[in-house]
Amino acid sequence: MSRSLPDPRERFLNGILPENPVYRQVLGMCPSLAVTNTMEGAITMAGAVLFVLVCSNVLISLIRGLLKPHLRILVFTLTIATFVTIADRLLAAYLYDMSKQLGPYIPLIIVNCVIIARIEVCGSKQGPLAAAADALGQSLGFGLGLAGIATVREILGFGTWFGRWLGWRVIPDTSPALWDEWVVMILPPGAFLTLGVLMGAINWIQAIRRQRARQAT
Amino acid sequence: MMRYVREAWLVIALCLLFGAALAGVQAALQPKVEANKLADTLGQIPALVPGAVSGVAETIGGLRTFRALDAERREVGRVLVASGQGFADRIELLVGVDAAGERITGLYIVDQKETPGLGDFITKEKWRAQFAGKPARVPLRVTKSGATRPEQVDGVTGATISSEAVVSIVNTALAQWRKEAPGL
């Protein structure tokens, strides 16, 4: 079955850059734009997605022999919704402040296309090892995508990185003359601007690489 | 009938399994979530009732309240805990009232899942601030043409249900408190 499909190692590596959910597949745009004005928000979201994706992908992979084609989406959604609810409750119990800050974006992971896409592409077709590797790789790629956007937005918008968590400001608090907080980076337009610029940069790097590879041959 | 069960047995089995799992998670984590909410509520009391530094829980006829106390432990007001259906899910909020029960002194949203970017304005300081100073003895009303009368609250266009849900939860809680509280 898996002879034409990528093996676990490839699945894992593909998710990080070649098939990065944010920059290459352009999936999961809602959280990529909405919760990336702070690193804390971005990392919590990435962690919740990691939990949901690993659990759902592996579970579906274990029961993939029982799936009926016309009822599969129903089973996928049911599984995802269950793990998202568990993630939401865990955050409310152990990371209450983050849970309040992210609000409805945690329940909204149910409709995050990255998850159902990975279940459809990998979990429902390959064994649990490949499914787990795929989920880890894709979540890592998603986390890196979010962290990239959040780094730019939080540094430019607040002058901090990880806020008070590290107790350290990238741009010193005492130099308002040098740096005024750039509010647009915190607000929604900042997300679109940052995503566009970062995606452009990644495409540009890829284009240069391809060109070099062509010249080498 | 049997054909449906044959086709959908996996869905049915998963529903039961997942339902049981979620019930287990809820039972295990609910006390912790409630403790977090209580800590959040107690932390908000000084902001909800001017002069208050701490709060003591007191349930009056099924209504959860906190007596807001100042540094000399005199009662300077009260915080009511109320909830009701919003647009997407239940909204849980706190209303601060002065000691005489005449004026609302503050509003805080403890839990909500309103539409991001639309209905979630209810959590914003700017919108909540208008509740301070509103009369507590007459029902508040939502208006969209700019509040001119004391009992009017500015709603937000495009999020009518969220605005009205908050106002209706506040009104219900105040009405219940007036009915149950002795000496008001």
Side-chain angles (χ1 to χ4, degrees), chain A residues 70-71 82 92-93 96 100 105, chain B residues 7 18 36 40 108-110 116:
Chain A
H70 64 289
L71 289 175
T82 304
Y96 184 70
K100 274 202 86 165
Y105 289 107
Chain B
E7 287 285 309
F18 289 157
N36 289 339
D40 190 14
Y108 180 74
I109 309 290
V110 181

Side-chain angles (χ1 to χ4, degrees), chain A residues 84-116:
Chain A
V84 169
T85 310
I86 295 174
D88 180 53
R89 292 292 83 196
L90 283 172
L91 283 179
Y94 297 107
L95 283 172
Y96 184 70
D97 287 337
M98 285 319 295
S99 164
K100 274 202 86 165
Q101 190 190 320
L102 295 174
Y105 289 107
I106 294 294
L108 280 173
I109 296 174
I110 294 173
V111 291
N112 187 324
C113 310
V114 175
I115 294 163
I116 202 155

Side-chain angles (χ1 to χ4, degrees), chain A residues 16-90:
Chain A
I16 298 173
L17 205 60
E19 291 177 13
N20 185 289
V22 178
Y23 297 116
R24 299 256 69 100
Q25 300 178 59
V26 199
L27 290 178
M29 286 296 105
C30 167
S32 308
L33 296 169
V35 300
T36 51
N37 55 6
T38 60
M39 277 301 280
E40 286 173 284
I43 296 301
T44 311
M45 173 55 74
V49 165
L50 174 91
F51 170 78
V52 173
L53 187 50
V54 170
C55 294
S56 329
N57 223 13
V58 171
L59 185 75
I60 293 291
S61 166
L62 290 171
I63 60 169
R64 68 189 189 284
L66 307 170
L67 292 172
K68 299 240 184 340
H70 64 289
L71 289 175
R72 72 183 196 291
I73 301 288
L74 189 57
V75 172
F76 298 168
T77 322
L78 202 62
T79 311
I80 297 167
T82 304
F83 286 115
V84 169
T85 310
I86 295 174
D88 180 53
R89 292 292 83 196
L90 283 172

Side-chain angles (χ1 to χ4, degrees), chain B residues 70-120:
Chain B
D70 68 5
E72 276 90 55
R73 299 196 68 77
R74 281 186 309 245
E75 186 168 334
V76 287
R78 199 170 279 264
V79 171
L80 313 180
V81 184
S83 65
Q85 184 64 37
F87 179 70
D89 201 346
R90 285 177 74 75
I91 298 174
E92 217 176 300
L93 52 79
L94 306 174
V95 195
V97 196
D98 65 11
E102 293 288 346
R103 304 250 158 233
I104 294 173
T105 52
L107 176 78
Y108 180 74
I109 309 290
V110 181
D111 198 9
Q112 59 88 28
K113 291 192 168 51
E114 301 304 282
T115 318
L118 200 57
D120 63 353

